[in-house]
Coordinates of all heavy atoms in Angstrom, one line a residue:
L117 N 12.0 -4.8 -5.1 CA 11.5 -5.4 -6.4 C 11.5 -4.4 -7.5 O 11.9 -4.7 -8.7 CB 10.1 -5.9 -6.2 CG 9.9 -7.2 -5.3 CD1 8.4 -7.5 -5.1 CD2 10.6 -8.4 -6.0
L118 N 11.1 -3.2 -7.2 CA 11.1 -2.1 -8.3 C 12.5 -1.8 -8.7 O 12.8 -1.5 -9.9 CB 10.3 -0.9 -7.8 CG 8.9 -1.0 -7.5 CD1 8.3 0.3 -6.9 CD2 8.1 -1.4 -8.7
G121 N 13.9 -4.8 -10.7 CA 13.2 -4.8 -12.0 C 13.6 -3.7 -12.9 O 13.8 -3.9 -14.1
G122 N 13.8 -2.5 -12.3 CA 14.3 -1.4 -13.1 C 15.7 -1.6 -13.7 O 16.0 -1.4 -14.8
A125 N 15.5 -4.0 -16.5 CA 14.8 -3.4 -17.7 C 15.6 -2.3 -18.3 O 15.1 -1.6 -19.2 CB 13.4 -2.9 -17.3
V127 N 16.6 0.4 -16.7 CA 16.4 1.7 -16.0 C 17.2 1.7 -14.7 O 17.4 0.6 -14.1 CB 14.9 1.8 -15.6 CG1 14.6 3.1 -14.8 CG2 14.0 1.7 -16.8
I199 N -4.3 -3.9 -7.4 CA -4.1 -3.5 -8.7 C -3.8 -2.0 -8.7 O -3.0 -1.4 -9.5 CB -5.3 -3.8 -9.6 CG1 -5.4 -5.4 -9.7 CG2 -5.2 -3.2 -11.0 CD1 -6.7 -5.8 -10.3
Q201 N -2.5 -0.2 -6.4 CA -1.1 0.1 -5.9 C -0.1 -0.2 -7.0 O 0.8 0.6 -7.2 CB -0.9 -0.9 -4.7 CG 0.3 -0.4 -3.9 CD 0.4 -1.2 -2.6 OE1 0.3 -2.5 -2.6 NE2 0.7 -0.6 -1.5
A202 N -0.3 -1.2 -7.8 CA 0.6 -1.5 -8.9 C 0.6 -0.4 -10.0 O 1.6 -0.1 -10.6 CB 0.3 -2.9 -9.6
I203 N -0.6 0.2 -10.2 CA -0.7 1.3 -11.2 C 0.1 2.5 -10.6 O 0.8 3.2 -11.4 CB -2.2 1.7 -11.4 CG1 -2.9 0.5 -12.1 CG2 -2.3 3.0 -12.2 CD1 -4.4 0.7 -12.2
L204 N 0.1 2.7 -9.4 CA 0.8 3.8 -8.8 C 2.3 3.5 -8.9 O 3.1 4.4 -9.1 CB 0.4 4.0 -7.3 CG -1.0 4.6 -7.1 CD1 -1.3 4.6 -5.6 CD2 -1.1 6.0 -7.7
W205 N 2.7 2.3 -8.7 CA 4.1 1.9 -8.9 C 4.6 2.3 -10.3 O 5.6 2.9 -10.5 CB 4.4 0.4 -8.7 CG 4.1 -0.1 -7.3 CD1 4.0 0.7 -6.1 CD2 3.8 -1.4 -6.9 NE1 3.7 -0.1 -5.1 CE2 3.6 -1.4 -5.5 CE3 3.8 -2.6 -7.6 CZ2 3.4 -2.6 -4.8 CZ3 3.5 -3.8 -6.9 CH2 3.3 -3.8 -5.5
A206 N 3.8 1.9 -11.3 CA 4.2 2.2 -12.7 C 4.2 3.7 -12.9 O 5.2 4.2 -13.6 CB 3.1 1.5 -13.6
A207 N 3.3 4.4 -12.4 CA 3.3 5.9 -12.6 C 4.5 6.5 -11.9 O 5.2 7.4 -12.5 CB 2.0 6.5 -12.0
G208 N 4.9 6.0 -10.8 CA 6.1 6.5 -10.1 C 7.4 6.2 -10.9 O 8.3 7.1 -11.0
V209 N 7.5 5.0 -11.4 CA 8.7 4.6 -12.2 C 8.8 5.5 -13.4 O 9.9 5.8 -13.8 CB 8.6 3.1 -12.5 CG1 9.7 2.7 -13.5 CG2 8.7 2.3 -11.3
V210 N 7.7 5.8 -14.1 CA 7.7 6.7 -15.2 C 8.2 8.1 -14.9 O 9.1 8.6 -15.5 CB 6.3 6.8 -15.9 CG1 6.3 7.9 -17.0 CG2 6.0 5.4 -16.5
I211 N 7.5 8.7 -13.9 CA 7.8 10.1 -13.6 C 9.1 10.3 -12.8 O 9.9 11.2 -13.1 CB 6.6 10.7 -12.8 CG1 5.3 10.6 -13.7 CG2 6.9 12.1 -12.3 CD1 4.0 10.9 -12.9
C213 N 11.6 7.9 -12.1 CA 12.8 7.2 -12.6 C 13.0 7.4 -14.1 O 14.0 7.0 -14.7 CB 12.6 5.7 -12.4 SG 12.4 5.3 -10.6
G214 N 12.1 8.0 -14.8 CA 12.3 8.3 -16.2 C 12.1 7.2 -17.2 O 12.6 7.2 -18.3
A215 N 11.5 6.1 -16.8 CA 11.3 4.9 -17.6 C 10.1 5.2 -18.6 O 9.3 6.0 -18.4 CB 11.0 3.7 -16.8
S216 N 10.2 4.4 -19.7 CA 9.0 4.5 -20.6 C 7.8 3.8 -20.0 O 8.0 3.0 -19.0 CB 9.4 3.7 -21.9 OG 9.5 2.4 -21.7
R217 N 6.7 4.1 -20.5 CA 5.4 3.6 -19.9 C 5.4 2.1 -20.0 O 5.0 1.4 -19.1 CB 4.2 4.2 -20.6 CG 4.0 5.7 -20.3 CD 2.7 6.1 -20.9 NE 2.5 7.6 -20.6 CZ 1.4 8.2 -20.9 NH1 0.5 7.6 -21.6 NH2 1.3 9.5 -20.6
L218 N 5.9 1.5 -21.2 CA 5.9 0.1 -21.4 C 6.8 -0.6 -20.4 O 6.4 -1.6 -19.7 CB 6.4 -0.2 -22.8 CG 6.3 -1.7 -23.2 CD1 4.9 -2.3 -23.0 CD2 6.9 -1.9 -24.6
R219 N 8.0 -0.1 -20.2 CA 8.9 -0.7 -19.2 C 8.4 -0.5 -17.8 O 8.5 -1.4 -17.0 CB 10.3 0.0 -19.3 CG 11.1 -0.4 -20.6 CD 12.5 0.1 -20.6 NE 13.2 -0.3 -21.8 CZ 14.5 -0.1 -22.1 NH1 15.2 0.6 -21.1 NH2 15.0 -0.5 -23.2
A220 N 7.9 0.6 -17.5 CA 7.3 0.8 -16.1 C 6.2 -0.1 -15.9 O 6.1 -0.7 -14.7 CB 6.8 2.3 -16.0
A221 N 5.3 -0.3 -16.9 CA 4.2 -1.3 -16.7 C 4.7 -2.7 -16.5 O 4.2 -3.4 -15.6 CB 3.3 -1.2 -17.9
A222 N 5.8 -3.1 -17.2 CA 6.4 -4.4 -17.0 C 7.0 -4.6 -15.6 O 6.8 -5.6 -15.0 CB 7.4 -4.7 -18.1
I223 N 7.7 -3.6 -15.2 CA 8.3 -3.6 -13.9 C 7.3 -3.7 -12.8 O 7.4 -4.5 -11.9 CB 9.2 -2.3 -13.6 CG1 10.4 -2.3 -14.6 CG2 9.7 -2.2 -12.2 CD1 11.1 -1.0 -14.7
A224 N 6.2 -2.9 -12.9 CA 5.2 -2.9 -11.9 C 4.4 -4.2 -11.9 O 4.0 -4.8 -10.8 CB 4.2 -1.7 -12.1
M225 N 4.2 -4.8 -13.1 CA 3.5 -6.0 -13.2 C 4.2 -7.2 -12.5 O 3.6 -8.0 -11.8 CB 3.2 -6.4 -14.7 CG 2.2 -7.6 -14.9 SD 1.8 -7.8 -16.6 CE 0.9 -6.3 -16.9
V226 N 5.5 -7.2 -12.8 CA 6.3 -8.3 -12.1 C 6.3 -8.1 -10.6 O 6.2 -9.1 -9.9 CB 7.8 -8.3 -12.7 CG1 8.7 -9.2 -11.9 CG2 7.8 -8.6 -14.2
A227 N 6.5 -6.9 -10.1 CA 6.4 -6.7 -8.7 C 5.1 -7.0 -8.1 O 5.0 -7.6 -7.0 CB 6.8 -5.2 -8.4
W228 N 4.0 -6.7 -8.8 CA 2.7 -7.1 -8.4 C 2.5 -8.6 -8.3 O 1.9 -9.0 -7.3 CB 1.7 -6.5 -9.4 CG 0.3 -7.0 -9.3 CD1 -0.7 -6.5 -8.5 CD2 -0.4 -8.0 -10.1 NE1 -1.9 -7.2 -8.6 CE2 -1.7 -8.1 -9.6 CE3 0.1 -8.9 -11.1 CZ2 -2.6 -9.0 -10.2 CZ3 -0.8 -9.8 -11.6 CH2 -2.1 -9.9 -11.2
A229 N 3.0 -9.3 -9.2 CA 2.9 -10.8 -9.2 C 3.8 -11.4 -8.0 O 3.3 -12.2 -7.3 CB 3.3 -11.4 -10.5

Side-chain angles (χ1 to χ4, degrees):
L117 288 173
L118 296 178
V127 182
I199 295 172
Q201 198 172 44
I203 293 172
L204 291 175
W205 296 340
V209 172
V210 169
I211 296 169
C213 302
S216 67
R217 292 186 178 181
L218 183 60
R219 289 188 178 185
I223 293 167
M225 187 175 297
V226 171
W228 168 82

